Amino acid sequence: MTKNSLIPRAAALGLALWCSACGTEFDSISQLEGVRILGVQKSDSYAQPGDSVQLRMLVHDTGVRDPDEAEGEPRDLSLFWLSGCEDPPADLFSLCFVQLGEVFQSLGMDGLPPNPDELEPDELLQLGQSLQEAGIGFGFGETFSFDISPDIIDRRPVADPQVRPYGLSYVFFAACAGNLGFNADQEEFPVTCTDDSGKELTERDFVAGYTAVYSFAGLSNRNPVIEGMRVDGKKVPAERICIGAECEMLTPDPDRECDPDDPVIDVCEDEDDDSKCDKLDVEVIVDPDSVDRDDVLAERDDSDITEQMWVNYHTDRGNLK
């Protein structure tokens, strides 16, 4: 059971791309425009104290394109990770900013230096060692790993004896189509993204968010196993889709065309009445044996409830419902 949150938009846990004819643009959260973080996959949804957790970010950028273009020219993206916030008061991710800021102050720093990905290797190593000793980790690229403190559960006050004790780790991440910077204000998100003139970029070029990893003593939870997809009742050939670690950032290609075998629907001419539009049924195939029992809720409610799962769909043109 993998949960992620994005600022300012919600994360998607699954990605399905196929080709369709499309005309007028729709203003929809499912439509990809600019930089979007589609999901962050965790190696462990519930991690035990002392475990090392691996994270993978799935990002898509439609590039710089004109309104009539399906895709535009690709851009260089900076992908950033920041760990080190555990058990913030009331489990509020926003209070991590205070927690992280206090650590920086104790090291005599206002925050991370601007564009740390441009530091010399020895400077980056020295910075990393100083922060690691203080319990903060950071990294760049599509993957990142961090360690859960061995005492993350034991040191936490027990507020409700009827709730199984747990620990909570937050990891922040960002994708920036500009210059990464860092905000020392303890009430705001610590990462900024600006253009070459120093102007802050908008959500089309900058997405930042967090993911939470819970630790329950003796409890684990597997990621659901995705086996494939069906479009219009037919299973999509394995060579036409990617699953999990196979998925990589898709480079924008203005000249990309649909394969002759791809399902295609006509442009819907009636924007006000989508009941008149052609439709394609789309579904993700999940191995039912990979659906785990939700042990936390099951204990609380004395039931045999299974975990909740959902899928979000995205497209670079048109709308999905």
Side-chain angles (χ1 to χ4, degrees):
M1 181 168 58
T2 304
K3 294 183 178 180
N4 310 291
S5 296
L6 286 182
I7 303 171
R9 298 176 179 176
L13 303 186
L15 169 65
L17 295 178
W18 69 97
C19 295
S20 64
C22 51
T24 304
E25 287 194 42
F26 296 83
D27 185 14
S28 168
I29 194 173
S30 66
Q31 181 173 312
L32 298 175
E33 176 58 37
V35 178
R36 289 288 295 274
I37 298 177
L38 303 176
V40 171
Q41 185 182 53
K42 313 165 194 173
S43 59
D44 301 279
S45 295
Y46 293 163
Q48 294 301 301
D51 279 357
S52 179
V53 180
Q54 286 72 48
L55 304 176
R56 178 180 295 273
M57 187 189 306
L58 182 60
V59 183
H60 184 73
D61 179 26
T62 58
V64 180
R65 65 182 182 183
D66 294 328
D68 59 341
E69 291 180 328
E71 293 184 306
E73 293 299 322
R75 301 180 290 178
D76 291 330
L77 298 182
S78 295
L79 309 181
F80 178 74
W81 306 84
L82 180 66
S83 65
C85 179
E86 294 182 336
D87 296 329
D91 291 347
L92 295 175
F93 79 89
S94 58
L95 295 183
C96 288
F97 307 154
V98 177
Q99 193 178 108
L100 293 170
E102 291 174 349
V103 174
F104 285 128
Q105 287 182 356
S106 70
L107 296 174
M109 303 167 60
D110 293 330
L112 292 173
N115 296 321
D117 53 341
E118 297 179 359
L119 293 176
E120 295 296 328
D122 57 338
E123 296 176 314
L124 193 60
L125 179 61
Q126 183 177 2
L127 176 63
Q129 289 176 340
S130 298
L131 293 175
Q132 186 176 22
E133 292 173 358
I136 292 181
F138 70 94
F140 306 93
E142 295 180 2
T143 60
F144 178 70
S145 64
F146 72 102
D147 296 330
I148 305 292
S149 296
D151 60 348
I152 191 171
I153 299 177
D154 296 337
R155 73 187 182 200
R156 183 188 181 95
V158 178
D160 186 349
Q162 295 183 340
V163 176
R164 177 184 280 261
Y166 67 92
L168 176 60
S169 304
Y170 281 112
V171 177
F172 297 92
F173 52 83
C176 169
N179 301 312
L180 275 175
F182 295 89
N183 187 353
D185 190 328
Q186 297 183 8
E187 295 183 357
E188 296 185 13
F189 197 85
V191 183
T192 63
C193 181
T194 60
D195 62 17
D196 291 338
S197 67
K199 180 181 178 182
E200 290 190 4
L201 296 176
T202 66
E203 63 177 14
R204 189 190 186 282
D205 307 305
F206 175 46
V207 179
Y210 65 87
T211 188
V213 179
Y214 284 86
S215 298
F216 295 92
L219 293 186
S220 62
N221 185 279
R222 302 170 299 169
N223 286 323
V225 176
I226 300 175
E227 297 181 329
M229 291 187 64
R230 290 190 187 94
V231 177
D232 202 24
K234 298 178 181 179
K235 189 170 182 179
V236 179
E239 63 271 16
R240 300 303 310 280
I241 61 175
C242 68
I243 299 175
E246 301 172 357
C247 298
E248 299 178 353
M249 181 176 172
L250 187 65
T251 302
D253 179 6
D255 298 322
R256 181 180 288 113
E257 296 181 354
C258 293
D259 188 276
D261 295 330
D262 287 334
V264 176
I265 58 176
D266 292 330
V267 175
C268 183
E269 302 293 347
D270 194 337
E271 300 177 26
D272 298 323
D273 186 1
D274 58 21
S275 66
K276 298 179 181 179
C277 302
D278 292 336
K279 296 177 176 63
L280 281 175
D281 289 330
V282 179
E283 62 178 318
V284 172
I285 306 170
V286 177
D287 180 1
D289 291 334
S290 70
V291 181
D292 287 339
R293 179 175 181 263
D294 191 329
D295 292 312
V296 177
L297 289 181
E299 284 183 357
R300 188 192 69 183
D301 300 335
D302 191 23
S303 63
D304 197 31
I305 188 172
T306 57
E307 63 184 348
Q308 292 183 344
M309 290 191 286
W310 66 94
V311 57
N312 289 359
Y313 295 93
H314 295 276
T315 174
D316 58 9
R317 277 293 186 268
N319 197 3
L320 295 169
K321 289 187 179 180

